[in-house]
Amino acid sequence: MQPSPRAYVPFVSVDTMMQLVHRIGLRQMMRDLAACIEEDFLRWTSFDKTPRVAAHSDVGVIELMPVADDALYAFKYVNGHPKNMKDGLQTVAAFGLLADMNTGYPVLLTEMTLLTAIRTAAMSALAARHLARPESRTMAIVGNGAQAEFQATAFQAVCGIDTVRLYDIDPAATAKAMRNLAHSGLTVHACHTAEEAVEGTDIVTTCTADKQFATILTDNLVGSGQHLNAVGGDCPGKTELHQDILRRSEIFVEYAPQTRIEGEIQQLDPDHPVTELWQVVSGLAPGRSNARQITLFDSVGFAIEDFSALRYIKEQVQSAGIEEKLDLLADPEDPRDLFGMLQRAAPGLAA
Ligand code: NAD
């Protein structure tokens, strides 16, 4: 049975998302998403915010990330299972929904595995545009899994990075990223150690996956003036940076109540000073104060970034006319006749 025309929910499958990215161009999409997130960070106080709701197991986490403003409600369902990769599954998989605050009806349901990689990279690059030294051109990426090439592309598109140095404990991951970035216009180097990758670069992204307090970077690897973009430490008990690095850095976060639970700063005292990035974007707090300072974006991923991505995708699929129509809502013509709608759908009866 066809959904009634007023009740269908626009749906974006993985295939449709890939079509959309190719229509817009990944670099353009990174710039667009960075601009949407920036716009929403500028109206930070108009959102109803809460730390995400997490269900932990020994091997991973499943999270719901809700947020709303006066007009729209959004949530993302996302997991983090570092052991998945060995079983041929994604470490991070996601889908998300946008709804109308006025009716409560969903107005978009979309895949968000690709979209999370894109919005995370756009967010990282936006933070770096506000915090890294403006002349930054080189970056290291430690952890060359699913997120890595998205990170490289966003930093190229948004910050003007032209050289990327890659390192992963698994050389096959680095070889994959080298192949995928071969025609990107970036100069890309494969490195044999984290130290070789990081030394002398302007920006360092860490995006490894391990459900433990790991030490991907030690203090001696980080030089003055570097900007650190720590993406992989995003869960209680899952961090990437040695504490000494945190103590030397000026730390910027998305939403402090969530990052204190999930970010690198879970290793520090609960009152260690941090700045929420929206305050820097809004001109309410300083970002980098000098060229020698080490700045750290302690990224965990916050619901407003998904809200920005969802509203952007809704506009784009609508204008491209490529959304699918999902029969998700029971919506009888007489709203009180839900039962009658079911009865009329009985086999052999005209609906
Ligand atoms: P992935 O499993 O595809 O890749 C992780 C890579 O890290 C693998 O190639 C692995 O070999 C490598 N690695 C593990 N330990 C390492 C080490 N000590 N040194 C160097 N490399 C190492 O995972 P992914 O999808 O790329 O995600 C990466 C991380 O980013 C995950 O921890 C995920 O939870 C996190 N993440 C954060 C955000 C955010 O908003 N902050 C968003 C998405 C994903």
Side-chain angles (χ1 to χ4, degrees), residues 166-222:
L166 301 171
Y167 171 68
D168 195 292
I169 39 169
D170 180 358
T174 305
K176 175 262 327 178
M178 291 290 292
R179 274 196 307 280
N180 289 341
L181 294 172
H183 304 291
S184 62
L186 289 161
T187 303
V188 190
H189 302 278
C191 301
H192 296 99
T193 61
E195 184 171 9
E196 184 191 343
V198 165
E199 199 180 357
T201 54
D202 301 312
I203 296 174
V204 181
T205 286
T206 52
C207 51
T208 66
D210 206 347
K211 200 166 171 25
Q212 61 164 340
F213 291 109
T215 306
I216 306 305
L217 295 185
T218 47
D219 191 35
N220 60 316
L221 298 190
V222 177

Side-chain angles (χ1 to χ4, degrees), residues 29-95:
M29 200 160 164
M30 292 294 186
R31 285 189 285 267
D32 291 350
L33 269 178
C36 286
I37 296 171
E38 194 163 40
E39 244 172 60
D40 288 334
F41 274 29
L42 285 170
R43 59 187 194 93
W44 184 266
T45 51
S46 64
F47 285 97
D48 186 1
K49 300 174 285 292
T50 175
R52 59 187 159 197
V53 182
H56 296 278
S57 71
D58 291 346
V59 293
V61 62
I62 294 178
E63 296 163 329
L64 275 183
M65 303 172 67
V67 71
D69 67 5
D70 287 346
L72 291 168
Y73 173 93
F75 78 80
K76 179 167 84 174
Y77 168 103
V78 62
N79 77 311
H81 284 70
K83 57 108 192 157
N84 272 7
M85 195 244 302
K86 291 195 180 65
D87 303 328
L89 302 172
Q90 290 290 307
T91 296
V92 175
F95 67 89

